[in-house]
Each structure stands twice: as structure tokens, then as C-alpha cells.
Amino acid sequence: MNVLVIEPMRKPYAKEIDGDLESMQNVVGGLIQAIYPFEDETVALICNEEGKLIGLPFNRALRDENGILYDIIAGTFLICSAPSDSENLAGLSEEQMQKYKSKFEQIEIYLRR
């Protein structure tokens, strides 16, 4: 399946993965957590479940509909499709790929206190 990978300090890029648990864990570097922070509830953000706990570098912010920062993803994450008519995750359409590539194109730097 074709997913969008977002690594800290790098521009987003498309990557073809198998789509199984192991391939997603390999991308994020550990146990995965799926969250659905977007208006389009059929798109999932898959990140390392323990990213902040194990000190992975901060990557990109999540903001609400008013642009207010409410969370920061730590470590590499991927964006994929989560079709409502299926229990399985799937690849992004070309339109989704471009939308989320643009959304996360800006590299962000955060400091830990």
C-alpha cells in the first residue's frame, strides 16, 4: 500500500509498504498507535505508541480547526487510508497523498524543556 511517511527534519515522501503490522512497525520504529486527527475520518495517522515516552525527536504538530496546537507527534509517522467499510488500513489515493504532503511539508523544530 502507498503511504506518506513523515520523518523529523525531512520533507514527507511516498513509500510503498506491505500494509501488515510488521511493515508499519518498521516505519515508525516500534509499537504502533492509530489516531484520527483529521476532518476526513477515513485517514489515519500511524505513529510510535511510545514515541514521547522513549524520547523520540518531536516531529510535527497537530492543530485544531482554529490552528491551535494541541499535540506534537514524536518520531516518524505515516499517513494512510482507513476505509470505513473495512477493518484494514489501505493506501492513500493520489489526491489524499498530495493533500497530506502539503499539510506536513513544512519542517518544524521543537525544543524539550
Side-chain angles (χ1 to χ4, degrees):
M1 72 182 191
N2 199 22
V3 300
L4 183 65
V5 177
I6 299 97
E7 296 180 27
M9 305 303 296
R10 292 196 58 199
K11 299 278 187 184
Y13 60 92
K15 182 174 183 172
E16 188 71 30
I17 64 171
D18 289 338
D20 59 8
L21 178 63
E22 185 177 351
S23 66
M24 287 186 267
Q25 288 176 328
N26 286 337
V27 171
V28 303
L31 301 175
I32 65 168
Q33 174 184 17
I35 59 175
Y36 301 86
F38 310 116
E39 281 185 31
D40 182 355
E41 295 176 1
T42 64
V43 174
L45 185 155
I46 309 296
C47 60
N48 186 313
E49 181 178 49
E50 301 175 318
K52 290 178 188 163
L53 293 173
I54 61 175
L56 293 179
F58 289 139
N59 190 344
R60 302 295 202 283
L62 297 178
R63 294 180 168 78
D64 68 15
E65 61 278 351
N66 298 313
I68 306 294
L69 186 147
Y70 68 87
D71 200 1
I72 300 173
I73 303 297
T76 299
F77 64 94
L78 65 91
I79 307 289
C80 64
S81 178
S84 57
D85 61 346
S86 173
E87 292 181 14
N88 299 319
L89 298 172
L92 293 173
S93 69
E94 189 57 39
E95 180 181 311
Q96 290 170 321
M97 183 70 70
Q98 292 308 314
K99 176 181 179 178
Y100 291 98
K101 188 179 270 190
S102 175
K103 180 175 184 63
F104 292 107
E105 187 75 18
Q106 186 67 41
I107 294 171
E108 299 173 344
I109 300 172
Y110 301 95
L111 303 175
R112 292 185 190 267
R113 287 188 166 200

